[in-house]
Amino acid sequence: MSTTFQLDTATSRANPTPQPMKRLTVPAIKRRKFEGKTEQPLVMLTAYTARQAQLLDTHCDLLLVGDSLGQVIYGLPSSLQVTLDMMCAHGAAVVRGSYHSVVVVDMPFGAYEASPQQAFAAASRIMSETGCAAVKLEGGVAMAETIAFLVARGIPVMAHVGLTPQAVNVLGGYNARGRSQQEHEKIIADGQAVEAAGAFAVVIEGVIEPIAIALTQSLEIPTIGIGASAQCDGQVLVTEDMLGMFDRVPRFVKRYEEIAQVIGKAAEAYAEEVRARTFPGIEQTYQPK
Ligand code: KIV
């Protein structure tokens, strides 16, 4: 089944796909790093809805349906409460709204850690219900067996090491990782383990920069940094963070816009016009012919 969907403009506000374009593939993403170098850094942003995917798609190589949607979309306290149902619904919307980027969907907490078999059941459901190209899971050495199991059964896996938000209760918070020698060595070992297990790329989140540089230089697969280093083979950010939707964002986020202010001003103007009965105006009302 094709994962490129033409939206029905008769019933949707969404723009149609201008012309179906060949979607990037997981092997093409992997090949962008050649002999240890990535000439063109990989661009990844999170997307949770069809319209957001449409707006981001042509600018990105990868769209990540991150479990950060728990906090960003659902107002949950962490990603731990995110369910497989949520990931499937949002993953399918993002695939419908995109035609160029590789769509990667996060495996939610509790859906894959128990065994490779449990992970296969969750990942195969995500892939068949959403049409995404790959799944992402958190963990290094501890998840290597699971990654190998999934890849051997046709499921491309993006790994995620360093600050792994699903382990917030073990880590004790969202601070940068790798400041002790022991933790530094563990994160390097995690990166090496996921590559050996067959992951096609690895997200390195919230680590001191020398770790991100060392992994980028030593791994053959692309590294995608978030709070890591500009020397990674690519970067990812939570779209709402870089758009300025939230007051509080991690230190590693650069705000490229102040969208919260734009929305606030528009809502204020609308409220004033409703209260003054100047909206709807003649252009927005239907008159008898
Ligand atoms: O859930 C997410 O959005 C992520 C990124 C921050 C890498 O995992």
Side-chain angles (χ1 to χ4, degrees):
M1 189 183 74
S2 162
T3 56
T4 302
F5 296 99
Q6 197 79 26
L7 289 160
D8 176 6
T9 48
T11 57
S12 168
R13 279 183 176 76
N15 291 328
T17 313
Q19 52 187 12
M21 193 180 182
K22 206 166 183 297
R23 206 184 269 280
L24 283 171
T25 62
V26 164
I29 295 294
K30 203 174 166 194
R31 280 197 304 271
R32 286 274 279 276
K33 184 166 185 178
F34 181 66
E35 293 181 349
K37 287 209 171 56
T38 305
E39 296 292 344
Q40 248 198 316
L42 292 161
V43 179
M44 181 158 89
L45 280 170
T46 59
Y48 314 120
T49 66
R51 183 60 181 146
Q52 190 181 30
Q54 288 174 333
L55 295 173
L56 303 176
D57 189 38
T58 53
H59 306 286
C60 292
D61 301 301
L62 300 122
L63 291 175
L64 172 65
V65 187
D67 61 356
S68 50
L69 64 76
Q71 292 108 306
V72 175
I73 301 286
Y74 290 91
L76 294 168
S78 75
S79 54
L80 301 188
Q81 297 79 18
V82 171
T83 65
L84 208 45
D85 286 346
M86 289 178 188
M87 297 314 299
C88 286
H90 289 272
V94 169
V95 171
R96 281 195 294 274
S98 61
Y99 56 94
H100 164 72
S101 304
V102 166
V103 177
V104 181
V105 177
D106 257 341
M107 301 263 272
F109 179 67
Y112 63 94
E113 301 89 335
S115 66
Q117 288 77 7
Q118 183 207 23
F120 183 80
S124 58
R125 179 179 161 200
I126 289 174
M127 292 197 70
S128 67
E129 288 189 18
T130 69
C132 72
V135 297
K136 177 166 82 59
L137 57 78
E138 296 184 9
V141 172
M143 281 298 128
E145 187 192 346
T146 294
I147 294 171
F149 190 89
L150 295 182
V151 174
R153 286 157 181 77
I155 298 182
V157 178
M158 175 178 280
H160 184 155
V161 302
L163 169 56
T164 45
Q166 292 176 5
V168 62
N169 290 304
V170 173
L171 301 176
Y174 296 103
N175 295 333
R177 313 307 308 176
R179 294 196 188 278
S180 72
Q181 188 57 27
Q182 192 191 10
E183 200 173 55
H184 187 123
E185 285 167 14
K186 180 190 177 301
I187 297 168
I188 297 284
D190 282 341
Q192 288 166 345
V194 298
E195 168 164 286
F200 74 93
V202 56
V203 168
I204 305 176
E205 176 166 357
V207 298
I208 58 163
E209 191 173 24
I211 296 181
I213 294 174
L215 278 176
T216 301
Q217 288 175 349
S218 64
L219 297 184
E220 283 178 20
I221 56 172
T223 59
I224 300 182
I226 172 163
S229 172
Q231 290 192 42
C232 287
D233 301 300
Q235 301 294 327
V236 59
L237 280 177
V238 170
T239 299
E240 282 76 357
D241 285 349
M242 71 93 174
L243 288 178
M245 278 287 277
F246 297 106
D247 295 338
R248 282 185 55 211
V249 287
R251 189 172 99 78
F252 56 72
V253 172
K254 180 170 174 186
R255 299 164 81 98
Y256 287 82
E257 253 306 341
E258 293 299 336
I259 289 295
Q261 288 176 21
V262 174
I263 294 174
K265 279 192 196 135
E268 189 183 11
Y270 167 74
E272 272 174 24
E273 292 191 7
V274 170
R275 290 182 183 123
R277 295 195 194 281
T278 56
F279 174 83
I282 193 79
E283 303 84 1
Q284 292 94 27
T285 47
Y286 298 100
Q287 305 302 327
K289 287 217 169 106

